[in-house]
Amino acid sequence: MAETASTLSGAQRAAILLLGVGEESAATIMRHMEPREVQRVGEAMASLSGVSDEQLAEVLGEVNEK
């Protein structure tokens, strides 16, 4: 996956974020999501291959800025 975080969809960025925060934190976050959102993010997680440290850092930086 050579895309930068800025070219990823919202669901893909959310998937990267959830993968980066760990299983327990991801489960806590997902409990606050609508079922359709969970489905879209789950599909994005399944489609991601090889998230780079750079992509994770970029997504986490975006979240930290907001």
Side-chain angles (χ1 to χ4, degrees), residues 4-7 12-13 18-19 21 25 28 32-34 37 51-52 55 57-58 61:
T4 63
S6 60
T7 62
Q12 289 172 314
R13 287 195 303 273
L18 293 173
L19 290 169
V21 298
S25 294
T28 300
H32 298 281
M33 296 169 64
E34 296 293 325
E37 293 171 319
V51 175
S52 71
Q55 288 172 313
E58 190 174 340

Side-chain angles (χ1 to χ4, degrees), residues 40-53:
R40 279 185 281 192
V41 171
E43 289 169 357
M45 284 176 151
S47 72
L48 290 173
S49 61
V51 175
S52 71
D53 290 340

Side-chain angles (χ1 to χ4, degrees), residues 12-22 29 56 59-60 63:
Q12 289 172 314
R13 287 195 303 273
I16 291 172
L17 172 69
L18 293 173
L19 290 169
V21 298
I29 293 167
L56 178 58
V59 169
L60 292 175
V63 170

